[in-house]
Amino acid sequence: MLTGDRHIEIEPATIGPGSHDSGHDADADALCSTDGPMRKCIATGEVRPKDELIRFVIAPDDTVTPDIAGKLPGRGLWVAAARGALDEACKRKSFSRAARRQVDIPRDLTDRVERLLARRCIDLLSLARRAGEAVTGFEKAGAALKSGKAAIYVSARDAGLDGVEKLDRQKGGAVRVDCLGREELGRAFGRDEAVHCVLMQGGLSGAFLRDAKRLSGFRTAGTPVEIDPTGGEGK
């Protein structure tokens, strides 16, 4: 979940860094806009910015492989960054239809994607910490938010409501993210757990926010995904 005065809408059931693609992507030829490359989800049939989808490739052994960073060679198959969309893509054999051959889908594919996205978020926080662009702890987070230079306020998913509300009132234009747990935040800062941290405006905050948005789609339940009856293959 992401909140803040700079509100970013997340559609958990239908939807987070984009990078260059190797090989030919499904539906890539005509799907571009002035805001950046667009791709069609093979499950929902929706066309969305690449940052809101997960790229997959088919490995040489015909296994569906998540390409979180978007750098693996091969034809890209795209699925909205949402647990429901990926579950439906697996259930409806959308990968086989899009690849035009039978492919092998790992049983834990959805959970694997969630773990990979969480790992990326943790790694980006760790890089931001080492670059002096992130701090943790209630007092340090509060001071960073008051400085007006904060880009993102991260609270643990299981953080106490009182602390979150106090810092939330100080966040100004910062966006609040709460898709990581205490232990996950702790790993980013080299400790057992962390509850509050702040990313300052800088080169890593944008990348972290994109991946946090995508991770939120796998950690938010509730709304059913809308599925294109044609299987999202398009014409």
Side-chain angles (χ1 to χ4, degrees):
M1 177 179 180
L2 310 179
T3 61
D5 295 333
R6 287 161 42 208
H7 184 65
I8 297 179
E9 283 291 335
I10 293 187
E11 301 171 3
T14 59
I15 60 166
S19 58
H20 76 278
D21 299 324
S22 301
H24 181 74
D25 291 331
D27 300 306
D29 293 332
L31 299 181
C32 292
S33 76
T34 56
D35 294 326
M38 308 286 283
R39 296 292 184 267
K40 180 184 286 188
C41 171
I42 63 172
T44 67
E46 291 184 298
V47 176
R48 288 179 169 271
K50 286 170 58 177
D51 287 347
E52 296 180 4
L53 297 100
I54 306 295
R55 185 177 188 262
F56 296 84
V57 296
I58 308 302
D61 64 355
D62 287 333
T63 300
V64 176
T65 304
D67 179 21
I68 303 299
K71 295 181 179 180
L72 293 177
R75 181 189 183 211
L77 307 176
W78 298 81
V79 179
R83 177 170 290 273
L86 183 51
D87 284 344
E88 285 294 331
C90 295
K91 178 181 177 181
R92 294 165 59 88
K93 301 182 179 180
S94 300
F95 286 105
S96 292
R97 284 199 298 272
R100 297 183 176 87
R101 70 180 189 272
Q102 190 65 34
V103 299
D104 181 39
I105 302 174
R107 288 187 177 183
D108 67 339
L109 183 61
T110 303
D111 290 336
R112 185 181 302 182
V113 170
E114 179 181 344
R115 290 193 298 269
L116 289 170
L117 287 170
R119 181 73 261 173
R120 278 181 67 85
C121 288
I122 293 167
D123 288 346
L124 285 167
L125 276 178
S126 182
L127 286 172
R129 171 182 62 82
R130 294 198 294 271
E133 297 178 8
V135 297
T136 190
F138 185 84
E139 298 299 331
K140 289 183 178 180
L145 290 171
K146 289 178 181 178
S147 73
K149 298 179 181 179
I152 303 168
Y153 161 44
V154 185
S155 63
R157 301 175 73 194
D158 47 353
L161 191 58
D162 288 347
V164 172
E165 289 180 342
K166 287 178 181 178
L167 290 179
D168 207 39
R169 289 194 291 269
Q170 302 173 30
K171 71 179 183 301
V175 177
R176 182 163 73 86
V177 173
D178 63 357
C179 59
L180 293 170
R182 290 172 182 249
E183 293 183 358
E184 290 172 322
L185 287 178
R187 289 203 297 273
F189 289 91
R191 55 183 66 182
D192 291 337
E193 62 178 41
V195 182
H196 309 281
C197 70
V198 169
L199 273 77
M200 309 305 287
Q201 297 169 4
L204 293 169
S205 60
F208 175 82
L209 187 58
R210 285 193 297 270
D211 282 322
K213 287 176 65 176
R214 297 198 295 175
L215 177 58
S216 292
F218 285 84
R219 293 191 165 177
T220 306
T223 310
V225 63
E226 288 188 15
I227 302 297
D228 185 335
T230 68
E233 295 181 86
K235 296 183 179 180

